[in-house]
Amino acid sequence: MTRVAAIDCGTNSIRLLVADANPATGELVDLDRRMTIVRLGQGVDRTGRLAPEALERTFAACRDYAAIIKEHGAERLRFVATSASRDAENRDEFVRGVLDILGVEPEVITGDQEAEFSFTGATKELTGRDDLAKPYLVVDIGGGSTEFVVGDDHVRAARSVDIGCVRLTERHLVHAGEVSDPPAPAEADAIRADIAAALDLAARTVPLDEARTLVGLAGSVTTVASIALDLAAYDSEAIHHSRIPREKVREITERLLRSTHAERAAIPSMHPGRVDVIAAGALVLLAIMDRTGAAEVVVSEHDILDGIAWSIA
């Protein structure tokens, strides 16, 4: 076993996994897995820069994670940064802060690298299952971007496109600093149009219609699953590898679009940091299912974070 620490810093959240990994057996044993909503991508789509308050929230989480990593005695650490820090003019400020706190530079990876890690993390434990046909289409719906990966045992094609729950919310649902409550039909239609254009772009590289099993990753997907399962609280074990039918996803998406902030916040499994962005995330998931004809989505709690861990094991 090798004790590793992986950090995935996205547009909406920063996540940590400390685990013991055995590459020979394919076993990855969690010691600590956690997520903090930091909204690093706050305003990036509009300003092109990481906001000072967003950076400070992220650095505060990094300080907490540094203590956890030290406590567990991880031998190796890899910090991967995704969409927001790819796009920002002042990403050097972000890199310096992370290096000072954690002793490693964040790797601002490409969308294709992000897709590779997501595919490995999501599918490594599906090997040998005869109830899930290959090839898989793995979709990782993040805050700033969504990754599409088609593969069997290895990646065949991948594409990252700039649709994510935070980016779409800020682009279409925020006016004078306030989020539409609930979104107007025209605003939802504008989000759908952006998603449709992005799916057209992804389909140029990734054969979306060839996939036999749709695997969905990240907070928008897992939150929709938690609502579909009617959980009294967010429960990763119950959500992991749950299978949610497309019509259930449609029902939940329509419910979220009709709901006010207070009504969404009252959903028992809803993380406070997802209340304002979940409707956009659900629209992305539903559009993917409609486009591919997927009858269900297999929900995975294992994703890019696990892929990062395997890359250093």
Side-chain angles (χ1 to χ4, degrees):
M1 287 284 192
T2 302
R3 185 158 294 182
V4 297
I7 295 176
D8 167 38
C9 185
T11 302
N12 196 43
S13 64
I14 183 169
R15 299 180 304 141
L16 168 70
L17 171 62
V18 182
D20 285 332
N22 186 337
T25 63
E27 184 181 15
L28 191 69
V29 179
D30 287 15
L31 300 174
D32 201 312
R33 186 187 291 261
R34 62 184 65 203
M35 181 268 290
T36 308
I37 299 284
V38 293
R39 203 67 69 86
L40 178 62
Q42 172 193 333
V44 167
D45 195 51
R46 177 175 51 83
T47 67
R49 298 180 61 82
L50 298 168
E53 60 271 29
L55 284 168
E56 185 44 47
R57 289 193 298 267
T58 304
F59 294 154
C62 287
R63 287 187 280 270
D64 290 342
Y65 289 178
I68 295 162
I69 292 165
K70 183 178 180 180
E71 177 187 339
H72 285 292
E75 300 166 46
R76 302 174 189 171
L77 166 64
R78 189 170 191 178
F79 187 117
V80 165
T82 53
S83 180
S85 48
R86 272 202 305 269
D87 302 340
E89 295 171 7
N90 60 334
R91 66 183 185 184
D92 288 348
E93 186 179 347
F94 167 68
V95 170
R96 286 194 303 271
V98 172
L99 182 59
D100 287 346
I101 296 165
L102 287 161
V104 296
E105 285 196 19
E107 299 175 53
V108 182
I109 61 173
T110 66
D112 286 345
Q113 288 173 304
E114 192 174 343
E116 288 269 1
F117 286 143
S118 294
F119 186 82
T120 300
T123 64
K124 197 169 183 72
E125 62 189 346
L126 299 181
T127 303
R129 284 187 57 165
D130 56 12
D131 60 326
L132 297 175
K134 297 178 183 177
Y136 307 116
L137 170 61
V138 174
V139 293
D140 185 342
I141 303 172
S145 63
T146 294
E147 282 62 57
F148 296 83
V149 198
V150 164
D152 298 291
D153 299 320
H154 302 285
V155 172
R156 283 171 37 190
R159 184 70 181 261
S160 177
V161 293
D162 284 339
I163 49 167
C165 59
V166 175
R167 191 186 296 270
L168 291 170
T169 298
E170 290 191 347
R171 186 179 294 168
H172 297 293
L173 303 184
V174 177
H175 308 282
E178 298 293 326
V179 181
S180 298
D181 188 29
E187 292 171 331
D189 286 344
I191 291 175
R192 290 187 184 98
D194 275 7
I195 297 168
L199 287 172
D200 289 343
L201 193 60
R204 295 179 191 172
T205 308
V206 179
L208 301 177
D209 55 351
E210 290 183 14
R212 304 276 305 281
T213 297
L214 175 66
V215 182
L217 316 182
S220 291
V221 178
T222 59
T223 299
V224 168
S226 75
I227 299 169
L229 296 169
D230 198 23
L231 298 179
Y234 192 93
D235 181 346
S236 294
E237 194 171 324
I239 292 166
H240 189 48
H241 288 174
S242 59
R243 299 164 76 157
I244 310 302
R246 182 178 6 158
E247 290 315 306
K248 189 68 176 177
V249 173
R250 190 182 315 281
E251 174 191 319
I252 290 166
T253 302
E254 290 171 356
R255 170 186 165 189
L256 292 170
L257 288 170
R258 292 193 305 268
S259 300
T260 63
H261 177 97
E263 289 167 339
R264 294 190 301 276
I267 296 171
S269 57
M270 181 73 67
H271 190 288
R274 297 206 184 278
V275 174
D276 286 334
V277 300
I278 186 59
L283 279 168
V284 175
L285 174 60
L286 179 60
I288 292 168
M289 296 183 80
D290 282 342
R291 174 69 68 96
T292 61
E296 65 178 11
V297 57
V298 178
V299 181
S300 179
E301 284 277 7
H302 294 181
D303 50 28
I304 186 173
L305 198 56
D306 301 75
I308 297 165
W310 279 118
S311 75
I312 53 172

